[in-house]
Amino acid sequence: MKVAILGATGMVGQYLVSLLQGHPWFETEVLAASDRSAGKKYREAAHWIHPSQMPSGIGEMEVANSDVKSVEELGSPDIIFSCLPSDIAGGVEEEFASAGYPVFSKAANHRLEEDVPLIIPEVNPSHATLVDFQKEKRGWQGFITTDPNCSTTQLVLSLFPLVQFDLSKVMVTTMQALSGAGYPGVPSLDANANVIPFISKEEEKLESETLKLLGEFDGEKIIPAELKLSATCTRVPVQHGHLESVTVSLEAKPSLEEVKEAWASFEGEPLKLGLPSAVKPIRYREENDRPQPRLDCDEGNGMTIVLGRLRMDPILDYKYLCLGHNVVRGAAGEGILQAELFKAKGLI
Ligand SMILES: NC(=O)c1ccc[n+]([C@@H]2O[C@H](COP(=O)([O-])OP(=O)(O)OC[C@H]3O[C@@H](n4cnc5c(N)ncnc54)[C@H](OP(=O)(O)O)[C@@H]3O)[C@@H](O)[C@H]2O)c1
């Protein structure tokens, strides 16, 4: 299938370009960005900061504007990945969906709308068919589907295997990498040797998206999970990899070994379906000084979250550390895995 990437010159867009190289099902056909980049060659428009080299051939592609007409002038894609900033993503994604395209969005705009899926393929793959209601309700041939905020994805992956133990309360404090703010992101004088104790709208996203992701799909709508969740989000001088300190109440009071076993045995539908980007989603490390962003965020090609330091908590019940690659598991890789899930389910 042919793919167009909107926001292809940005942080998430570059990772998508790189991860789609050699993909067995998807091929990059159109790269689009703002009118600052449109008309330029990709290698001139993108300030390349991905650790691997820009894939050969891609650099010579012309960049389109991020609208239907400009994209269709450069190709005829089957699906759209939107890596646009939220101040413009909402309207642009609707324009593509109403023109008949399946849109896989990284942006926050549509995540909480009742007819729009918010998906982590290992957690709530059944929510994908919500797009059928969306198409009917909005009269679209295409649709919009979304994946969560980067700090939410890794948290929910770690929580999902614990739902069986009657998960009732969650407190999380995040230490989020600079790449989560895109490029050029946080000014160096603010970021260097410092901690910034606020990320706009991040705590609200963690608290609301988690309830939708862990909610029940009754065939027409998602009934949010009943869970108390409190988040504090900070930005730290780390390149990639959000680290989260998580404390939970589990009413069934499992042993520490039972919690670890729940994480170790968790696989999810992508591995069972044999999706190309599927990996074991969780690794638990026993060492007291792990996980660390620099050492662990590339685990499983960046798609495996790494947990550690599980111990009892005197106020809630259990506490642990959770690490995920924000750009791969939290955005680009997650979007590709979701598109693979939709293809396997015959939704695209
Ligand atoms: N970074 C992460 O870890 C992460 C994780 C999860 C979700 N997200 C979400 O993913 C999206 C992209 O984030 P990012 O970190 O990749 O941001 P970024 O590095 O700032 O990239 C933004 C991209 O959007 C394009 N763009 C900006 N304004 C535009 C406009 N008016 N019209 C058309 N294109 C425009 C830029 O093109 P030009 O180069 O031409 O300006 C660039 O390609 C955001 O919604 C973000 O919240 C990011």
Side-chain angles (χ1 to χ4, degrees):
M1 297 184 98
K2 291 179 181 153
V3 165
I5 303 173
L6 315 180
T9 52
M11 177 71 65
V12 179
Q14 288 188 19
Y15 269 79
L16 257 172
V17 165
S18 193
L19 290 170
L20 285 172
Q21 276 299 297
H23 192 281
W25 298 351
F26 305 130
E27 182 191 349
T28 303
E29 196 196 35
V30 181
L31 302 170
S34 76
D35 53 12
R36 292 179 290 276
S37 305
K40 293 182 183 166
K41 291 185 171 168
Y42 185 61
R43 63 176 163 74
E44 296 163 346
H47 181 99
W48 190 256
I49 46 174
H50 185 276
S52 74
Q53 295 214 326
M54 187 182 291
S56 67
I58 291 277
E60 300 308 311
M61 288 172 67
E62 182 184 334
V63 178
N65 249 315
S66 292
D67 59 73
V68 172
K69 185 168 172 287
S70 306
V71 165
E72 288 179 347
E73 278 168 9
L74 293 186
S76 47
D78 302 298
I79 61 171
I80 308 292
F81 285 109
S82 165
C83 315
L84 295 171
S86 56
D87 52 349
I88 60 137
V92 174
E93 290 168 359
E94 285 175 21
E95 186 203 345
F96 276 90
S98 61
Y101 292 99
V103 178
F104 292 83
S105 170
K106 323 279 117 216
N109 307 65
H110 298 289
R111 285 180 192 147
L112 295 179
E113 289 170 8
E114 67 171 13
D115 59 348
V116 175
L118 174 66
I119 304 252
I120 298 173
E122 292 90 341
V123 170
N124 59 341
S126 66
H127 294 195
T129 51
L130 200 52
V131 294
D132 294 335
F133 291 93
Q134 184 192 129
K135 287 160 84 171
E136 199 180 311
K137 186 174 153 198
R138 302 195 189 204
W140 289 348
Q141 293 298 311
F143 61 77
I144 298 170
T145 183
T146 62
D147 46 47
N149 180 42
C150 44
S151 55
T152 308
T153 303
Q154 61 184 72
L155 175 70
V156 172
L157 268 173
S158 76
L159 294 178
F160 184 61
L162 309 184
V163 168
Q164 62 181 305
F165 302 123
D166 299 332
L167 173 68
S168 59
K169 293 183 196 133
V170 181
M171 293 199 66
V172 56
T173 301
T174 70
M175 292 150 266
Q176 297 185 215
L178 296 172
S179 60
Y183 186 83
V186 187
S188 62
L189 281 176
D190 292 344
N192 192 23
N194 198 18
V195 176
I196 299 167
F198 174 69
I199 305 174
S200 179
K201 298 188 187 145
E202 196 79 1
E203 292 163 2
E204 292 85 343
K205 289 178 193 168
L206 258 166
E207 290 171 1
S208 56
E209 292 175 15
T210 300
L211 303 187
K212 181 169 180 180
L213 286 156
L214 294 177
E216 287 286 326
F217 183 33
D218 73 0
E220 289 190 5
K221 60 183 182 310
I222 312 295
I223 301 156
E226 284 187 25
L227 183 67
K228 286 198 171 138
L229 197 148
S230 170
T232 301
C233 296
T234 73
R235 185 80 68 197
V236 296
V238 162
Q239 188 182 16
H240 300 306
H242 294 346
L243 187 63
E244 299 178 345
S245 169
V246 187
T247 310
V248 295
S249 279
L250 303 174
E251 302 305 328
K253 313 293 178 208
S255 68
L256 294 178
E257 285 313 311
E258 284 171 321
V259 172
K260 288 182 195 174
E261 174 52 29
W263 283 329
S265 58
F266 176 58
E267 290 197 335
E269 202 167 306
L271 269 178
K272 291 185 190 119
L273 291 172
L275 302 184
S277 303
V279 297
K280 190 122 183 36
I282 297 176
R283 175 172 181 193
Y284 184 83
R285 294 199 69 120
E286 291 289 349
E287 305 94 317
N288 272 335
D289 61 353
R290 305 295 274 274
Q292 292 184 27
R294 193 145 31 94
L295 300 182
D296 297 311
C297 84
D298 288 326
E299 182 81 26
N301 300 321
M303 288 296 282
T304 299
I305 64 161
V306 183
L307 309 181
R309 300 205 57 219
L310 176 69
R311 61 225 191 270
M312 301 306 292
D313 179 72
I315 297 174
L316 299 184
D317 295 321
Y318 310 82
K319 51 188 172 181
Y320 60 92
L321 273 295
C322 169
L323 174 80
H325 196 308
N326 50 295
V327 197
V328 181
R329 181 81 238 197
E334 181 81 4
I336 294 171
L337 188 64
Q338 187 178 158
E340 292 169 358
L341 177 76
F342 273 62
K343 185 166 176 352
K345 283 179 175 284
L347 293 166
I348 54 173

